[in-house]
Amino acid sequence: MPNNLLIQGPDKGVLLLTLNRPEALNALNTALLGELAAALDAAEADPATRAVVITGSERAFAAGADINEMAARDLVGILEDPRVAHWQRLARFPKPIIAAINGFALGGGCELAMHADILIAGENARFGQPEINLGIMPGAGGTQRLTRAVGSALAMHLALTGEQISAQRALQAGLISEICPTELTVERAISIAETIASKAPLAVRLTKEAIHKASDLDLAAGLRFERHAFTILAGTADRAEGLKAFQEKRQPKFTGC
């Protein structure tokens, strides 16, 4: 039985996770999401992993949820859906996640991409929330994260029409941060992840958390959280090393302490 998820690394602090259901365009079934959640559990506990890259194939990052599996679930099955816990594992992962997106990122695939902190897309990438075509709606953050990323006008258009947008349109809308040649997408994402992995781990973690708080808190509360996190970092060895390295005109050696 093939693995639904290929795991490589960590190498230079970066763990590469590749969705591996090519026959189904990497549709997100329970088994795949479970393997992804388990990999993130291990990555969180592993100090050698400082950043994670998630990717699919050149044809599809993930084309959506597994429709056959979804069709087999009734109301009770949806209420007891184990995938909810897997999505929550993604949402609470404290280390940076970079999504390297080629081809289709639709429905659950788009929602998975939006769980990442940085989204890098190949020129052939396509984004959308086509659940409305099946008589349903996004159920793993598609209405909430998409609205926060691109605004209510475009989110409403995509979710109500089921239409797709190109990588260029996604960049203009703020959904992704960069477009690169399709064959270089994973390489570029790993390069970004390696850069992040070279920084002080606690500073990276608190910076990620503070930026996410900007979507959840009002400005005053967000600024209080930011200042609190900034103050905590004053007591770390990595801060002392960073300042000393700057003064000595050398590269810092961060240890995560």
Side-chain angles (χ1 to χ4, degrees), residues 68-161:
N68 293 329
E69 188 178 71
M70 184 184 298
R73 283 195 170 95
D74 58 11
L75 175 59
V76 174
I78 294 295
L79 286 172
E80 298 177 349
D81 191 345
R83 293 175 299 176
V84 174
H86 301 330
W87 285 113
Q88 290 172 345
R89 165 72 273 191
L90 275 159
R92 69 173 187 270
F93 187 67
K95 300 177 183 181
I97 297 176
I98 296 89
I101 305 154
N102 286 321
F104 298 114
L106 305 176
C110 188
E111 290 170 319
L112 174 59
M114 290 189 292
H115 276 75
D117 303 297
I118 299 174
L119 284 66
I120 306 298
E123 294 167 332
N124 71 338
R126 304 285 299 179
F127 299 87
Q129 298 291 160
E131 290 89 346
I132 199 75
N133 296 326
L134 303 176
I136 56 176
M137 63 177 284
T143 63
Q144 302 305 300
R145 286 190 172 85
L146 188 61
T147 301
R148 284 168 169 78
V150 305
S152 61
L154 183 55
M156 195 74 77
H157 184 97
L158 293 176
L160 292 182
T161 66

Side-chain angles (χ1 to χ4, degrees), residues 119 127 165-179:
L119 284 66
F127 299 87
I165 59 172
S166 67
Q168 188 60 47
R169 181 71 179 93
L171 179 64
Q172 293 169 349
L175 179 59
I176 63 176
S177 64
E178 189 174 318
I179 299 174

